[in-house]
């Protein structure tokens, strides 16, 4: 058998010749280099995701402002329709418990991600005070729970009017906490947006004393919640999923405390059949996507831009219903929606212009500068490149 093998190899060598043998060796070498490069790429990507800075860079790379806000927009529309089904046709009138289910499902999914090593690494504990994480988790419970409670007890118009009040609250809070200011043009654009949404929803404005108290109590937590989500991601290298993993258990604890105060009794007596349970579970899964997409949008933009996105959603639903579904909200409401959309367009263009100007200021410009270089052998003129920062 050995003689036959040697003879076969000799016959193959004689048929291929020297060039053929070199070609085979070259292909084996290329395959080895490609495999080595692939292994290095995998190792580099793994190491990139094993640090909070690397995970943050990957989030910014694959989920920029446009992707994050588009993702959040479609999920928000989907959960509105699903929650209308759950609270309307299904008759599940327990808004705090529904919010609790949303966060419980989110925490379960995040635990699975962590088990599979899909969860990004959190920044070192010393970079973010534990009090900030605790505060964000508690405020999330009030912001989310009171929002669903407000939607239950108030008309859609009054609910939207309360959301309009979040915008100036965010601007004021960011100025007090971070001394952050916005330009006068942006103030005018935000004023146009708020006025347009107010006109668009004023036809459905109904007052309820308890609902009004809930709406007013919701405004400040909602504003602070968005500011904290945005600042922790942009300044402390947190990713959306890592921050959700840290804050969700705290949110669940406070939602459990809110349930006896704001939910009616009888949640265990609800008809938990297959159809109702599937509808509620769908709402909970969309709740996870809404929390994730909202965190991504806040990390990629700002708290004010996220509020404007929510108002944009309201106007698109109103105008889209008129165009596609033959609904008739009235000329006044349509005019307000169009006016608000125009204000949003101006606000977006101002943001894009500021972002572009900021990028140009940070790009180093290379200009050739003639400089004489002296050496031991003599002097010679050489041209070196000098890097300057256009500030």
């Amino acid at each position: 058998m050995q003689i036959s093998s040697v003879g076969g190899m000799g016959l193959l060598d004689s048929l291929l010749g020297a060039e053929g043998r070199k070609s085979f060796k070259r292909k084996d070498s290329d395959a080895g280099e490609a495999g080595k490069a692939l292994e290095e790429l995998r190792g580099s990507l793994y190491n990139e995701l094993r640090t909070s800075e690397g995970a943050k860079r990957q989030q910014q790379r694959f989920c920029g402002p446009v992707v994050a806000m588009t993702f959040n927009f479609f999920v928000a529309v989907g959960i509105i329709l699903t929650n209308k089904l759950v609270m309307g046709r299904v008759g599940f009138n327990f808004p705090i418990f529904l919010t609790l289910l949303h966060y419980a499902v989110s925490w379960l999914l995040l635990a699975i991600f962590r088990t599979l090593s899909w969860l990004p690494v959190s920044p070192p504990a010393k970079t973010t005070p534990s009090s900030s994480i605790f505060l964000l988790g508690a405020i999330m419970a009030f912001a989310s729970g009171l929002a669903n409670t407000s939607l239950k007890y108030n008309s859609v118009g009054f609910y939207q009017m309360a959301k309009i009040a979040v915008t100036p609250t965010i601007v004021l809070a960011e100025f007090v906490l971070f001394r952050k200011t916005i330009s006068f043009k942006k103030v005018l654009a935000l004023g146009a947006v708020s006025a347009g949404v107010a006109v668009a929803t004023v036809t459905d404005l109904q007052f309820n004393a308890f609902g009004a108290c809930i709406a007013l109590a919701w405004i400040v937590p909602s504003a602070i919640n968005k500011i904290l989500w945005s600042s922790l991601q942009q300044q402390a290298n947190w990713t959306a999923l890592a921050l959700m993993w840290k804050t969700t258990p705290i949110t669940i604890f406070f939602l459990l405390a809110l349930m006896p105060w704001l939910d009616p009794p009888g949640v265990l007596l609800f008809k938990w059949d297959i159809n109702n349970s599937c509808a509620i579970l769908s709402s909970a899964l969309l709740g996870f996507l809404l929390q994730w997409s909202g965190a991504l949008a806040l990390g990629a933009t700002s708290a004010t831009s996220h509020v404007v996105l929510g108002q944009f959603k309201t106007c698109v639903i109103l105008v889209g219903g008129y165009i596609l579904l033959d609904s008739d909200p009235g000329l006044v409401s349509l005019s307000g929606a169009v006016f608000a959309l125009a204000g949003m367009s101006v606000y977006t263009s101002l943001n894009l212009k500021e972002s572009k100007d900021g990028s140009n200021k940070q790009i180093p410009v290379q200009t050739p500068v003639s400089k004489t270089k002296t050496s031991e052998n003599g002097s010679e003129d050489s041209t070196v490149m000098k890097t300057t920062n256009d500030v």
Side-chain angles (χ1 to χ4, degrees), residues 235-250:
Q235 299 175 14
N237 283 328
W238 282 92
T239 58
L241 289 175
L243 197 53
M244 287 168 61
W245 171 252
K246 290 292 185 180
T247 56
T248 299
I250 303 170

Side-chain angles (χ1 to χ4, degrees), residues 17 79 88 98-99 118 168 205 251 253-254 362 374:
I79 199 171
L98 181 62
T99 308
W118 292 353
L205 196 62
T251 303
F253 172 78
F254 278 94
Q362 295 178 356
T374 304

Side-chain angles (χ1 to χ4, degrees), residues 156-312:
V156 176
F158 196 90
Y159 177 76
Q160 292 297 333
M161 292 293 286
K163 287 180 68 175
I164 291 172
V166 174
T167 304
T169 305
I170 288 177
V171 174
L172 178 61
E174 286 185 329
F175 175 76
V176 172
L177 296 175
F178 308 111
R179 289 294 182 262
K180 182 179 178 181
T181 59
I182 62 175
S183 64
F184 182 69
K185 291 181 179 179
K186 279 190 176 183
V187 172
L188 292 179
L190 290 173
V193 171
S194 300
V197 174
V199 172
T201 57
V202 71
T203 55
D204 189 33
L205 196 62
Q206 298 176 8
F207 182 78
N208 177 285
F210 180 74
C213 293
I214 294 295
L216 292 174
W218 166 76
I219 292 173
V220 174
S222 178
I224 301 299
N225 177 53
K226 295 179 187 297
I227 292 172
L228 288 177
W229 270 103
S230 182
S231 61
L232 285 176
Q233 289 188 82
Q234 294 180 9
Q235 299 175 14
N237 283 328
W238 282 92
T239 58
L241 289 175
L243 197 53
M244 287 168 61
W245 171 252
K246 290 292 185 180
T247 56
T248 299
I250 303 170
T251 303
I252 291 175
F253 172 78
F254 278 94
L255 286 172
L256 286 171
L258 284 174
M259 273 185 60
W261 299 93
L262 296 176
D263 266 359
V267 65
L268 297 179
L269 300 178
F270 180 74
K271 187 179 179 182
W272 293 94
D273 57 19
I274 295 179
N275 292 333
N276 292 347
S277 299
C278 287
I280 294 171
L281 180 60
S282 299
S283 174
L285 292 173
L286 285 172
F288 165 72
L289 294 177
L290 181 66
Q291 185 187 2
W292 185 23
S293 63
L296 289 172
L298 285 166
T301 57
S302 66
T304 308
S305 297
H306 190 254
V307 173
V308 172
L309 175 65
Q311 295 170 346
F312 172 75

